[in-house]
Amino acid sequence: MHGRRIFRRCAITSLAALALLAPGRVLAQQAGRVTVTGTVVQAEDRRPLAGAQVQLRGTNQGALTGPDGRFSFEAAAPVGNYTLAVSFLGRRTATRPITLPSSGTVTVETIALEQSAVELSEVVVTAPGVAQERRAMGNQVSSVGAAELNRAPAAIGVGEALQGKVPGAVITQSTGQPGGGMTIRLRGSNSILGSAEPLIVVDGTIIDDNTDGLIGLNANLSGANRSGSSISSRLADISPDEIENIDILKGASAAALYGSRAKNGVVLITTKRGHQGRPQFTFGTDVTVGSTPKKYDLVTIPIAGWGDVSYGTPTNGPIELGGPVTRYDLQDMVWRTAVGNNTHASLSGASGGTSYFLSGSYVTDQGIVRSSDYRKTQVRAKVSQQLGSLLNVTANGSFVQSLAHYVPEGEQTFGVLSSVIFTPTSWNPNYDPSTGRYPYNPLLGPNPLEILKDWEAPDQVTRFIGNFEANFQPTAKLRLHYLFGLDDYRDEAKLYMPPFSTSASFTGSISNPVLLARQFNHDLTAAYDARFSPSFGLTSTLGFRYTSSRNNTLRLGANDLVPGLDIVNGATQVASQGITEIRTVGAFLQEQANLADRFYITAGANLEASSAFGADQRWQLFPRVNASYVLSDAPAWKESAIGSVLSTLRLRGAYGETGGQPPGAYQRFNNYVGTSFSGRPGLVASSVQGNPDLKPERQREFEGGFDVGLFQDRANLQFTYYNQDTKDLVLSVPAAPSSGFTSQFQNIGEVTNHGVEIALNTINIARPGFEWSTRLGFAASRNKVKKLVTSNDTILFGYLNYVIEGQPLGVFYGGQYARNPDGTIAYDTFTVNGQTNRYPYLLKSEGRNGTQVNKILGDPNPDWTANLSNTFRFGRNVQLNVLLDGRFGNDVANFSRRIQEIFGVSKRVEAEIKGDTTFRAFTLAPGSRSLIYEEFIEDGSFVKLREVALSVRLPESLTRRIGSSQAELRVAGRNLYTWTKYSGLDPEVNLFGASPVAQGVDFANTPLPRQFVFGLNFTY
């Protein structure tokens, strides 16, 4: 209640202040109501250009062109001279002077947009009700349009569609199972215990992007700081087909309006809407065929090795070392050719004051591992209505229902691929008619074929994302915007293990957790445009935001199940519940000065309070300032010799501060945990002491750069340097024994990131019969842990990822080879099964019996990333897109290879079996070889042929026969080939998903499939 009173009081005060900003003579001007119409076409072929942005400069008034290239909007502005700006991604902005009378209609002559690599006049919405031209922004904002997103083949969700398209963003799919988890890193990781994922905003609605698994199906959730290991991804709920464009706010200055939730950046998604013109119906369907890009290289030689003798199960008598043995390729029973389909349709249009967009889609996708699949049904409606001349309202809602069937993988002892890499190929996994069941795995218990046949691991999500917004413009200069956004979903997971499926004594187990998540945000924004002279103007923006998030997790489970029942109904039942709530309330003020439409200065601050912090630290201020100077717009520049070469030059710089929520919502309290006493439930104090002085993890960032247009804007170079310092990171600190607690969370850590981002866009050839354009992205980032609790601290995440002062987050730190003084690997004599040989050994402090000596073995963070996209147009109807996506300098911990070699499954062990190398060089760990992790850290650098898409527009003579105005055939591929030295299946996957620290670990994870797509799209 207190927060609501503050919200109402501030809202009233701010609206009054905005009214006082304008001089009386400005308010006294009378605005006319004039309809502005026109048509926009492509310069090279005069074809209508749909989706071009038309804006009356100095106001927020304008429209998008419809399918026929036409636009129409009402201009509520004083009588006088104005500039109409028309922009489109990939084309040069055109301006036209127009004069607005007091009433009537102004028709603008046809506007032809030429191809261009410069996009300074594009309007970017950085928060609900806050929009700026790119030219006025001092911070770099990356944008991806609908055309680039929608040509991404086989992309179920928006995360996959964004891969390789944003410089400075490392976007990873951690598993190849359909609907698999996605992680997004913008300018590196900057948290240790918290999340490193950016804030996701859809049409102004702040949505949940949960990365923690309800059930551990890949990494075990228990262990050293294990989080973010969900196989599924909530980004999969957002289909690329629904998106108009995406703006990515990477810097603190750009993201500061979102306060204590924006430390990791913000991804702003705008969905499609109806355009002026006749109704348009689209229909399309794609068929996808996928396969594993690679298989494990396993032992095939029909001679028994040590792994077969030690771990195999005799089928036809005992297995003797060196004797004959039958091999079984379990992979042929696990992998499959996967088939998927994406069928989607939409109806859109606008007439008068009403615009609408209605759509629906149905997606099915088989996994390349048998028994895994994904289905999604989605419907969406977006309707806008002009109410009178001052008010416009929009209602927007998306309903998604998905059902995924996953299979366990990774370090789970019941993982399907885990069985492949653990179990000797001499073991016969096939159904045994004599016993009436699949034989048990000699090492892990469950037979992977039994898991694929009878186990269940579904994940069902029902979700609604929607908002209501209203735009009210009482005067020509004052704009009011209100938005209510809601994200409400239910996620129901399950893991059913039938009785007797792991051993003859196993009585069955089921886990059935349910997550009920709801969050909403209210945003109220007021903006005032004041033009004091032709060369000076101010835009004042005041906004308020209230957010509420509530997660209710219920966990049900049972053991000793009744055979044949896969519900929570067993002899031993367990249940638990946890509820987490966080609320924030805040206000922001922003002032932008415009000098001669060339020099822009923007300053602002966000004052915000969060329920996660104590009373003394609850209110936090996040300032920001940035400047942009378009030198090339000066008349003297255009007439100079340098202006003939540098057609565009803009300098920009920005500083901003943002924050991050603590890892838990209630760490400011002394909490209690459940216990049992004499069979009765009770509570005991937690061992973690509450800290009422917790505050946000605060990030301060400076960035600077320039945009250069060359050869009449046929080439554009964007360069950005950033320096980011994140302090007050929340860490666990030992508590004094006298306090009665063992630890307390405190703001004590510090991490820095700095780097460069470069984007080069060129139009290489632009002729009527052939066009060729290129986009090149490059980013290099350096991360360092500056401060922990003490300088000697090391914090383990997962297996080998550590946080060490002075090192990048998540470096691999572990056992190493003992070495000679010259650096070569040292060998010592070991006797193994009566054979004496020399083997390398683990370095210890006092010979072989001392303490293990660890060292930094590698870094999973890439030194630099790059992507290269080429688009070719042949005539008017054929287009080819090719996207290469690469990471360089990152290491991968190949636990899959480690397990294969230790248990005698790897192809490399054949050298041992044949006697071509030292006896048991791989399958034994003399000198603790299994702990020499140095051997299993590999170069994970790669370049992927991420996308290839060929689209052919069918002849009009053919499409007219089916009543279609346009039809397109598409043949495409995704992840077709990977150039890498990495020996595993895929250097991109990660066992620990979205963990901010535990990255670069490959342990029996499903690789990203190689996929081919065939599709048809029709427009009516």
Short mmCIF file of all heavy atoms in Angstrom, two decimals, residues 170 800-802 808-812 858-863 887-893 937 990 997-1001:
data_model
loop_
_atom_site.label_atom_id
_atom_site.label_comp_id
_atom_site.label_asym_id
_atom_site.label_seq_id
_atom_site.Cartn_x
_atom_site.Cartn_y
_atom_site.Cartn_z
N VAL A 170 26.83 -13.33 -27.31
CA VAL A 170 27.14 -14.76 -27.43
C VAL A 170 25.87 -15.52 -27.08
O VAL A 170 25.45 -15.55 -25.93
CB VAL A 170 28.29 -15.17 -26.51
CG1 VAL A 170 28.57 -16.66 -26.65
CG2 VAL A 170 29.55 -14.36 -26.84
N LEU A 800 34.85 -28.08 -12.86
CA LEU A 800 36.17 -27.46 -12.97
C LEU A 800 36.12 -25.94 -13.07
O LEU A 800 37.17 -25.31 -13.07
CB LEU A 800 36.90 -27.99 -14.22
CG LEU A 800 37.35 -29.45 -14.22
CD1 LEU A 800 38.00 -29.78 -15.55
CD2 LEU A 800 38.32 -29.72 -13.10
N ASN A 801 34.94 -25.34 -13.21
CA ASN A 801 34.83 -23.90 -13.40
C ASN A 801 35.01 -23.20 -12.05
O ASN A 801 34.26 -23.47 -11.11
CB ASN A 801 33.49 -23.52 -14.01
CG ASN A 801 33.30 -24.11 -15.40
OD1 ASN A 801 32.64 -25.13 -15.54
ND2 ASN A 801 33.87 -23.47 -16.40
N TYR A 802 35.96 -22.31 -11.99
CA TYR A 802 36.27 -21.62 -10.74
C TYR A 802 36.17 -20.11 -10.92
O TYR A 802 36.34 -19.58 -12.03
CB TYR A 802 37.68 -21.96 -10.27
CG TYR A 802 37.77 -23.24 -9.47
CD1 TYR A 802 37.82 -24.48 -10.11
CD2 TYR A 802 37.83 -23.22 -8.08
CE1 TYR A 802 37.92 -25.65 -9.39
CE2 TYR A 802 37.94 -24.39 -7.35
CZ TYR A 802 37.99 -25.61 -8.00
OH TYR A 802 38.08 -26.77 -7.28
N PRO A 808 39.53 -14.56 -15.49
CA PRO A 808 38.18 -14.48 -16.03
C PRO A 808 37.23 -15.40 -15.26
O PRO A 808 37.66 -16.41 -14.67
CB PRO A 808 38.34 -14.94 -17.48
CG PRO A 808 39.79 -14.76 -17.78
CD PRO A 808 40.51 -14.99 -16.51
N LEU A 809 35.95 -15.08 -15.29
CA LEU A 809 34.95 -15.92 -14.64
C LEU A 809 34.93 -17.31 -15.26
O LEU A 809 34.91 -17.46 -16.48
CB LEU A 809 33.56 -15.30 -14.80
CG LEU A 809 33.14 -14.22 -13.79
CD1 LEU A 809 31.83 -13.59 -14.23
CD2 LEU A 809 33.00 -14.79 -12.39
N GLY A 810 34.95 -18.34 -14.40
CA GLY A 810 34.72 -19.69 -14.86
C GLY A 810 35.91 -20.39 -15.47
O GLY A 810 35.73 -21.39 -16.18
N VAL A 811 37.13 -19.92 -15.22
CA VAL A 811 38.29 -20.61 -15.78
C VAL A 811 38.33 -22.06 -15.28
O VAL A 811 37.86 -22.38 -14.19
CB VAL A 811 39.60 -19.89 -15.41
CG1 VAL A 811 39.71 -18.56 -16.12
CG2 VAL A 811 39.73 -19.73 -13.90
N PHE A 812 38.89 -22.93 -16.11
CA PHE A 812 39.07 -24.33 -15.71
C PHE A 812 40.31 -24.41 -14.80
O PHE A 812 41.40 -23.95 -15.18
CB PHE A 812 39.24 -25.22 -16.93
CG PHE A 812 38.04 -25.25 -17.83
CD1 PHE A 812 38.16 -24.92 -19.17
CD2 PHE A 812 36.79 -25.60 -17.34
CE1 PHE A 812 37.05 -24.95 -20.01
CE2 PHE A 812 35.69 -25.62 -18.17
CZ PHE A 812 35.81 -25.30 -19.50
N GLY A 858 42.48 -23.65 -18.60
CA GLY A 858 41.86 -23.09 -19.79
C GLY A 858 40.79 -22.10 -19.42
O GLY A 858 40.49 -21.87 -18.24
N ASP A 859 40.17 -21.51 -20.43
CA ASP A 859 39.16 -20.47 -20.24
C ASP A 859 38.01 -20.74 -21.20
O ASP A 859 38.21 -20.76 -22.41
CB ASP A 859 39.78 -19.10 -20.51
CG ASP A 859 38.81 -17.95 -20.25
OD1 ASP A 859 37.66 -18.20 -19.84
OD2 ASP A 859 39.22 -16.79 -20.46
N PRO A 860 36.78 -20.95 -20.69
CA PRO A 860 35.66 -21.21 -21.59
C PRO A 860 35.14 -19.96 -22.30
O PRO A 860 34.33 -20.07 -23.23
CB PRO A 860 34.58 -21.77 -20.66
CG PRO A 860 34.88 -21.14 -19.34
CD PRO A 860 36.37 -21.02 -19.27
N ASN A 861 35.59 -18.78 -21.88
CA ASN A 861 35.13 -17.54 -22.50
C ASN A 861 35.88 -17.29 -23.81
O ASN A 861 37.11 -17.33 -23.83
CB ASN A 861 35.36 -16.36 -21.55
CG ASN A 861 34.68 -16.56 -20.21
OD1 ASN A 861 33.47 -16.51 -20.11
ND2 ASN A 861 35.47 -16.79 -19.17
N PRO A 862 35.17 -17.02 -24.89
CA PRO A 862 35.87 -16.76 -26.16
C PRO A 862 36.63 -15.44 -26.11
O PRO A 862 36.18 -14.46 -25.51
CB PRO A 862 34.73 -16.71 -27.19
CG PRO A 862 33.50 -16.38 -26.40
CD PRO A 862 33.70 -16.97 -25.04
N ASP A 863 37.81 -15.44 -26.74
CA ASP A 863 38.57 -14.19 -26.86
C ASP A 863 37.86 -13.23 -27.80
O ASP A 863 37.84 -12.02 -27.57
CB ASP A 863 39.98 -14.47 -27.39
CG ASP A 863 40.82 -15.25 -26.39
OD1 ASP A 863 40.56 -15.15 -25.17
OD2 ASP A 863 41.73 -15.98 -26.82
N ARG A 887 33.32 -18.59 -32.97
CA ARG A 887 33.89 -18.20 -31.68
C ARG A 887 35.34 -18.71 -31.65
O ARG A 887 35.63 -19.80 -32.12
CB ARG A 887 33.10 -18.80 -30.52
CG ARG A 887 31.68 -18.30 -30.47
CD ARG A 887 30.87 -18.97 -29.39
NE ARG A 887 29.46 -18.83 -29.67
CZ ARG A 887 28.49 -19.46 -29.03
NH1 ARG A 887 28.81 -20.30 -28.06
NH2 ARG A 887 27.24 -19.27 -29.35
N PHE A 888 36.19 -17.91 -31.02
CA PHE A 888 37.61 -18.20 -31.10
C PHE A 888 38.28 -17.94 -29.75
O PHE A 888 38.00 -16.97 -29.07
CB PHE A 888 38.26 -17.32 -32.18
CG PHE A 888 37.58 -17.42 -33.52
CD1 PHE A 888 36.53 -16.57 -33.84
CD2 PHE A 888 37.97 -18.37 -34.44
CE1 PHE A 888 35.87 -16.67 -35.06
CE2 PHE A 888 37.33 -18.47 -35.66
CZ PHE A 888 36.27 -17.62 -35.99
N GLY A 889 39.18 -18.88 -29.39
CA GLY A 889 39.94 -18.72 -28.17
C GLY A 889 39.30 -19.30 -26.93
O GLY A 889 39.83 -19.16 -25.83
N ASN A 890 38.16 -19.97 -27.08
CA ASN A 890 37.50 -20.59 -25.93
C ASN A 890 37.88 -22.06 -25.81
O ASN A 890 38.13 -22.74 -26.81
CB ASN A 890 35.98 -20.46 -26.06
CG ASN A 890 35.44 -21.08 -27.34
OD1 ASN A 890 35.75 -20.64 -28.44
ND2 ASN A 890 34.65 -22.13 -27.19
N ASP A 891 37.90 -22.54 -24.58
CA ASP A 891 38.23 -23.94 -24.32
C ASP A 891 36.98 -24.71 -23.88
O ASP A 891 36.03 -24.12 -23.36
CB ASP A 891 39.31 -24.05 -23.23
CG ASP A 891 40.62 -23.42 -23.66
OD1 ASP A 891 41.12 -23.79 -24.73
OD2 ASP A 891 41.15 -22.57 -22.92
N VAL A 892 37.03 -26.02 -24.09
CA VAL A 892 35.94 -26.91 -23.70
C VAL A 892 36.51 -28.05 -22.86
O VAL A 892 37.54 -28.65 -23.23
CB VAL A 892 35.21 -27.49 -24.93
CG1 VAL A 892 34.13 -28.49 -24.49
CG2 VAL A 892 34.56 -26.37 -25.73
N ALA A 893 35.86 -28.34 -21.74
CA ALA A 893 36.22 -29.50 -20.93
C ALA A 893 35.49 -30.72 -21.48
O ALA A 893 34.27 -30.85 -21.32
CB ALA A 893 35.85 -29.27 -19.47
N ILE A 937 41.09 -30.80 -21.52
CA ILE A 937 40.73 -29.44 -21.89
C ILE A 937 41.16 -29.23 -23.34
O ILE A 937 42.35 -29.31 -23.67
CB ILE A 937 41.38 -28.40 -20.98
CG1 ILE A 937 41.05 -28.69 -19.51
CG2 ILE A 937 40.94 -27.00 -21.37
CD1 ILE A 937 39.58 -28.68 -19.20
N ASN A 990 26.59 -27.14 -23.57
CA ASN A 990 27.12 -26.94 -22.22
C ASN A 990 26.25 -27.68 -21.22
O ASN A 990 25.02 -27.52 -21.21
CB ASN A 990 27.16 -25.46 -21.87
CG ASN A 990 27.69 -25.23 -20.46
OD1 ASN A 990 28.68 -25.82 -20.06
ND2 ASN A 990 27.03 -24.37 -19.71
N VAL A 997 28.74 -18.95 -14.51
CA VAL A 997 30.15 -19.29 -14.34
C VAL A 997 30.50 -20.62 -15.01
O VAL A 997 31.50 -20.73 -15.72
CB VAL A 997 30.53 -19.35 -12.85
CG1 VAL A 997 31.99 -19.75 -12.68
CG2 VAL A 997 30.27 -18.00 -12.18
N ALA A 998 29.69 -21.66 -14.78
CA ALA A 998 29.99 -23.00 -15.29
C ALA A 998 29.62 -23.09 -16.76
O ALA A 998 28.49 -23.42 -17.12
CB ALA A 998 29.25 -24.06 -14.47
N GLN A 999 30.58 -22.82 -17.61
CA GLN A 999 30.38 -22.84 -19.05
C GLN A 999 31.43 -23.75 -19.69
O GLN A 999 32.47 -24.05 -19.11
CB GLN A 999 30.49 -21.43 -19.62
CG GLN A 999 29.37 -20.50 -19.20
CD GLN A 999 28.04 -20.85 -19.84
OE1 GLN A 999 27.92 -20.95 -21.06
NE2 GLN A 999 27.03 -21.04 -19.02
N GLY A 1000 31.16 -24.18 -20.92
CA GLY A 1000 32.14 -24.91 -21.69
C GLY A 1000 32.38 -26.33 -21.24
O GLY A 1000 33.49 -26.84 -21.38
N VAL A 1001 31.36 -27.01 -20.70
CA VAL A 1001 31.52 -28.39 -20.24
C VAL A 1001 30.65 -29.30 -21.11
O VAL A 1001 29.43 -29.14 -21.16
CB VAL A 1001 31.10 -28.53 -18.76
CG1 VAL A 1001 31.25 -29.98 -18.31
CG2 VAL A 1001 31.95 -27.61 -17.88
#
